[in-house]
Amino acid sequence: MRLTQVVDNLVSNAVKFSEPDTTVQLRLRRSSEGWLLAVADQGVGIPTDELAHLFGAFERASVRPTAGERSIGLGLAITKRVVEAHGGRISVTSVVGQGSVFTVELPAVGG
């Protein structure tokens, strides 16, 4: 149930920060240690100097949602906690004006 919350939050954010008629991709693949989930968008992107603080509670990037949606800055902090509670890691790469990729790495359970 909590992993569904992770996917929902990442996809919702990707849509929220993307212009209409752009693509949001979900990619899931097996890795040597578990699973990799990537959520990629063609959105506004996040400035490099803001990436380190992105997963903190009440932190928000300076970029604004494309349709003016509001945020209190808890979604990514909660997402990170859930991922880490499952033994995983979350990371982000982003280029302003080109989009972002959030990657979740989760360990395999039961081989």
Side-chain angles (χ1 to χ4, degrees):
M1 186 164 117
R2 292 293 179 201
L3 293 177
T4 300
Q5 181 181 16
V6 166
V7 174
D8 181 59
N9 186 55
L10 294 176
V11 170
S12 294
N13 280 353
V15 171
K16 187 187 315 184
F17 289 94
S18 295
E19 295 292 341
D21 298 321
T22 60
T23 301
V24 172
Q25 292 184 339
L26 274 71
R27 298 184 295 257
L28 179 66
R29 70 176 174 88
R30 181 88 175 176
S31 72
S32 60
E33 297 179 16
W35 294 95
L36 291 176
L37 168 70
V39 178
D41 65 53
Q42 298 173 328
V44 295
I46 305 160
T48 303
D49 61 331
E50 297 179 18
L51 293 175
H53 306 287
L54 202 58
F55 295 102
F58 302 106
E59 293 288 339
R60 292 180 285 182
S62 62
V63 295
R64 296 290 165 234
T66 55
E69 300 93 337
R70 299 190 74 151
S71 169
I72 60 171
L74 287 175
L76 289 175
I78 292 169
T79 297
K80 181 179 182 195
R81 285 188 183 159
V82 170
V83 168
E84 290 176 348
H86 284 82
R89 296 185 316 215
I90 186 168
S91 60
V92 60
T93 58
S94 189
V95 177
V96 173
Q98 295 182 20
S100 303
V101 179
F102 285 82
T103 302
V104 174
E105 301 174 58
L106 293 170
V109 177

